[in-house]
Amino acid sequence: NVSQASLIEFFLKN
Amino acid sequence: MLEGKFEESSLMKKVVDAIKDSVKLCNFNCTEHGVTVQAVDDSRVLLISLLIGEASFEEYRCDRNITLGIDLESFNKIIKNGNSSDFLTLIAEDSPDNVLIIFEDKKKDRVSEYSLKLMDLDSDFLQIDDMEFDATITMPSSEFAKITRDLKTLSESLQIIVTKENVKFSSDGDFGTGNVVLKGFVDMDKPDESIKIDMARPINLTFGAKYIADIVKGTSLSESVTIKLADKSPALFEYKLPSGFLRFYLAPKFDE
């Protein structure tokens, strides 16, 4: 099974 | 004031077509250097980053930074009304409530003018620092689009595996499996047909096929697409514009 990662995990919000 | 005139409306048509299924609302940020958009899809999995450089316009002036909050579905309805070969001019005041969209055919015997209401949108910026990638693939954009469409019929996930020799696109579904393997090669006569694989480290990443299917809507913008991959990191898919780019950052899927 695979789960989808979110971009928020990688790119910090300004 | 913003006044940007494209030699042909086709570029903006293609840009809107490429992003409208990924994001519905976005700010077009206009500066003296051109127009940029950064927007994230609702699920926070796909990010688009667009630069339409000043040189993409036949005539361009933007004295002060202007933000155009645009509903892409509405914009698309208007932008479709111009013929691809028409001049397209975008005009907006410094603090605009609307943007004027003017199409002129090349004989100048028909001028169509539309006004699009703008929206006040929260800009939700993500900071993307320069990323380091382990593998870079450049290939014909149409070929990447076909592979994506073909493999998406089997599975919701698309796996991209890069080794020194080749790149493998693979899907594993309920009723069967499929894969397409490409080797690097140089086409001297048609450089855009070449496939270039640069690999520092082997890559094995899985992505949501539906997101990649949205990404390949940029195919008409460029003959080739560049895919940059790093282990356990978002991938970058780039379509180059005559001056600028349309980039998609896509978060991977992970084994649970």
Side-chain angles (χ1 to χ4, degrees), chain B:
Chain B
M1 184 174 175
L2 166 75
E3 192 167 344
K5 181 177 183 179
F6 292 98
E7 169 70 24
E8 295 201 327
S9 72
S10 57
L11 177 67
M12 196 47 117
K13 277 170 177 270
K14 290 175 187 173
V15 164
V16 174
D17 249 347
I19 63 177
K20 70 179 169 49
D21 296 324
S22 302
V23 292
K24 299 290 173 217
L25 308 170
C26 60
N27 281 328
F28 282 60
N29 302 299
C30 310
T31 72
E32 58 178 329
H33 304 296
V35 179
T36 60
V37 174
Q38 198 211 75
V40 186
D41 85 307
D42 288 341
S43 60
R44 304 294 174 102
V45 171
L46 182 66
L47 179 144
I48 62 163
S49 175
L50 168 72
L51 167 65
I52 305 174
E54 184 193 355
S56 299
F57 295 84
E58 189 187 63
E59 293 166 25
Y60 185 83
R61 66 173 268 228
C62 184
D63 317 321
R64 286 186 207 171
N65 294 358
I66 297 174
T67 301
L68 309 176
I70 285 183
D71 177 331
L72 286 172
E73 197 181 341
S74 308
F75 190 37
N76 188 47
K77 284 177 185 166
I78 291 176
I79 212 86
K80 279 200 302 196
N81 295 342
N83 292 322
S84 291
S85 61
D86 286 353
F87 292 114
L88 164 64
T89 307
L90 304 176
I91 297 174
E93 303 294 332
D94 278 347
S95 298
D97 296 320
N98 53 59
V99 57
L100 282 182
I101 299 154
I102 300 165
F103 303 102
E104 291 170 70
D105 75 345
K106 296 270 153 55
K107 293 179 209 148
K108 302 280 181 84
D109 54 6
R110 178 178 45 77
V111 179
S112 319
E113 185 176 308
Y114 295 87
S115 167
L116 174 69
K117 285 182 192 163
L118 297 173
M119 306 175 75
D120 195 7
L121 303 174
D122 288 336
S123 54
D124 194 14
F125 250 66
L126 293 176
Q127 183 66 43
I128 304 165
D129 298 321
D130 279 344
M131 295 170 64
E132 298 219 350
F133 293 99
D134 298 323
T136 301
I137 303 147
T138 301
M139 62 185 288
S141 57
S142 56
E143 188 158 5
F144 179 55
K146 175 171 167 47
I147 291 169
T148 298
R149 283 194 302 266
D150 293 351
L151 294 179
K152 184 174 175 283
T153 61
L154 282 95
S155 170
E156 290 176 0
S157 295
L158 180 68
Q159 200 178 6
I160 304 179
I161 301 163
V162 187
T163 61
K164 205 167 186 177
E165 290 80 27
N166 59 48
V167 53
K168 179 157 101 173
F169 300 90
S170 174
S171 65
D172 185 349
D174 293 335
F175 67 87
T177 64
N179 69 73
V180 179
V181 177
L182 301 176
K183 288 183 181 173
F185 84 100
V186 178
D187 190 324
M188 301 290 262
D189 297 329
K190 298 177 191 161
D192 287 335
E193 298 287 310
S194 300
I195 296 174
K196 197 174 166 208
I197 302 169
D198 287 320
M199 188 215 75
R201 258 183 286 179
I203 287 290
N204 185 340
L205 285 168
T206 301
F207 300 98
K210 75 179 174 106
Y211 296 106
I212 300 192
D214 279 340
I215 289 170
V216 300
K217 286 167 186 165
T219 300
S220 65
L221 284 167
S222 177
E223 291 294 320
S224 63
V225 60
T226 298
I227 305 167
K228 297 187 178 189
L229 304 161
D231 192 32
K232 296 184 175 67
S233 299
L236 168 58
F237 303 80
E238 180 177 72
Y239 296 91
K240 286 209 163 53
L241 305 187
S243 161
F245 53 77
L246 176 61
R247 292 177 180 156
F248 294 89
Y249 292 85
L250 176 61
K253 287 180 160 188
F254 290 119
D255 284 328
E256 275 177 342

Side-chain angles (χ1 to χ4, degrees), chain A, chain B residues 44-45 47 124-125 127 232 234 251-256:
Chain A
N1 269 355
V2 287
S3 64
Q4 176 65 60
S6 163
L7 282 172
I8 308 294
E9 296 165 34
F10 301 98
F11 301 135
L12 283 177
K13 265 184 164 182
N14 262 354
Chain B
R44 304 294 174 102
V45 171
L47 179 144
D124 194 14
F125 250 66
Q127 183 66 43
K232 296 184 175 67
K253 287 180 160 188
F254 290 119
D255 284 328
E256 275 177 342

